[in-house]
Amino acid sequence: MVLLGERVTSRRWGVRATVLVAALVALVAVVVLSIAFGSNRLPLGSVWHALFSYSGTFSDVVIRDDRLPRTLLGLAVGVGLGLAGALLQAITRNPVADPGLLGINHGAAVAIVLGGAVFSVSSPQQLVWFAFFGALAGTVLVTVIGGSVSPLRLVLAGVAVQAVFVGINQGMQMINTHSLDQMRYWLVGSLVNRNLGSLAGLLPFFLAALVVAGVLARPLNAVALGDDSARGLGANPALTRAVGMIAVGLLSATATAACGPIAFVGLMIPHVVRALVGQDERWVLPLSALLGPVLLLGCDVLGRLLGGNGEIQVGLMTDVIGGVAFVIVARRLKAVRR
């Protein structure tokens, strides 16, 4: 029996290590594709030249001024959305929890639109605070309306709250046409025309949330066993959930302030990760952070390729792919209950 247990543990570690290596390889590959592919496809030699031997050629300018900032932004936002979804599902013990689906990201978007239209705030460092409180407001509303008893009830509450937030956003844009021109691509979820300065201003908030998420991995494993068992293992369930929701709010706010509300990344990625490595949050959280940008940047590259002379914004691509994924997840949950 001891030898059997050791073999199972060894095999599990082998599988998880393989998944980790595969995730890293996939991440590197999608970063390279994001820099190389666009309306003008550039050979890998041009990418290498622009990154390490910049001389001001057309391809150098395109890569340094457009594709590299876009890729780095997509990398950061993907990490944030994947990790926020994994945290939210672990905290609520709800398999369909996602910051975009439950209206949290749209709550952040409403606060950002109000900050820009009413208070004339434009700095990402200032907007992220509006987004943070908007995300927390969305979280509170969905929790109060939907509760956490039924996944379906929580989703319905999220859809209702999201509809209200979208209506407020559209109303603000109709009142202020200048705001409409500025916010149109941002509200659909886009990585276009972003710069490294904006990303640098958001990094402190992002890194703080990453540190909090890393600390929560072990307590979340304890909370998954039930509140009484968690207390017996030395964890504080209420504190763990509260700190976790703050981390979710920060991650969602930072991602939304950077590129607008993007849904479904936080829903899809944790399900894929748990199917591969199991329920241990010490693996689920970091792997969700690694695979989030793989999905986001992959959708961004696909949108560029399918858009012809233009491009399909990444928020629309994740909506289409995520909608299909949500149906699959919902059917699986229904089958399990039977």
Side-chain angles (χ1 to χ4, degrees):
M1 292 295 292
V2 174
L3 290 176
L4 179 60
E6 290 178 351
R7 288 178 183 176
V8 171
T9 301
S10 177
R11 182 179 178 184
R12 185 178 301 162
W13 273 93
V15 170
R16 289 171 173 174
T18 301
V19 172
L20 177 61
V21 172
L24 289 170
V25 171
L27 182 59
V28 172
V30 80
V31 165
V32 172
L33 290 175
S34 179
I35 296 175
F37 280 82
S39 56
N40 296 310
R41 299 184 185 181
L42 301 175
L44 293 181
S46 298
V47 175
W48 183 269
H49 182 273
L51 295 177
F52 301 103
S53 304
Y54 184 85
S55 61
T57 64
F58 173 76
S59 59
D60 288 350
V61 173
V62 168
I63 290 172
R64 283 285 190 95
D65 294 348
D66 178 34
R67 294 187 187 174
L68 182 59
R70 180 174 184 160
T71 300
L72 291 176
L73 180 66
L75 186 64
V77 170
V79 169
L81 293 175
L83 188 55
L87 278 172
L88 193 58
Q89 289 176 17
I91 292 166
T92 63
R93 287 189 279 183
N94 190 324
V96 295
D98 169 62
L101 190 62
L102 299 186
I104 297 174
N105 289 351
H106 281 278
V110 165
I112 289 175
V113 171
L114 289 174
V118 177
F119 300 101
S120 300
V121 175
S122 59
S123 167
Q125 296 93 320
Q126 295 174 320
L127 285 176
V128 73
W129 287 107
F130 283 87
F132 176 66
F133 288 109
L136 289 184
T139 303
V140 171
L141 281 174
V142 171
T143 302
V144 170
I145 296 172
S148 59
V149 176
S150 166
L152 177 60
R153 184 176 175 183
L154 193 66
V155 170
L156 292 176
V159 171
V161 171
Q162 181 173 315
V164 172
F165 286 153
V166 170
I168 294 173
N169 274 333
Q170 291 177 343
M172 292 296 297
Q173 292 173 64
M174 293 300 294
I175 294 172
N176 189 335
T177 56
H178 177 65
S179 173
L180 171 62
D181 293 335
Q182 287 187 322
M183 306 296 284
R184 181 175 53 187
Y185 284 108
W186 180 83
L187 281 173
V188 81
S190 175
L191 299 175
V192 176
N193 295 328
R194 302 298 192 265
N195 58 67
L196 292 179
S198 298
L199 178 60
L202 296 173
L203 275 180
F205 304 96
F206 182 71
L207 293 175
L210 289 182
V211 171
V212 172
V215 172
L216 287 177
R218 191 178 295 275
L220 284 173
N221 277 340
V223 170
L225 301 175
D227 287 5
D228 291 337
S229 297
R231 293 188 189 97
L233 292 171
N236 185 327
L239 180 62
T240 299
R241 293 190 182 98
V243 174
M245 289 308 301
I246 291 174
V248 170
L250 270 178
L251 290 167
S252 302
T254 305
T256 306
C259 64
I262 294 178
F264 290 112
V265 174
L267 172 68
M268 291 184 279
I269 292 300
H271 278 278
V272 172
V273 171
R274 290 190 177 96
L276 294 172
V277 302
Q279 303 294 325
D280 190 340
E281 298 300 333
R282 293 173 298 178
W283 285 89
V284 172
L285 294 180
L287 283 171
S288 295
L290 281 177
L291 290 177
V294 172
L295 175 61
L296 187 67
L297 288 175
C299 287
D300 189 44
V301 172
L302 190 60
R304 294 182 227 173
L305 297 179
L306 296 179
N309 294 328
E311 65 178 85
I312 303 173
Q313 302 303 318
V314 66
L316 298 177
M317 293 298 301
T318 58
D319 283 346
V320 172
I321 296 173
V324 176
F326 178 72
V327 172
I328 294 172
V329 170
R331 290 180 64 88
R332 285 183 61 188
L333 292 175
K334 186 176 179 180
V336 169
R337 284 175 184 162
R338 286 177 180 174

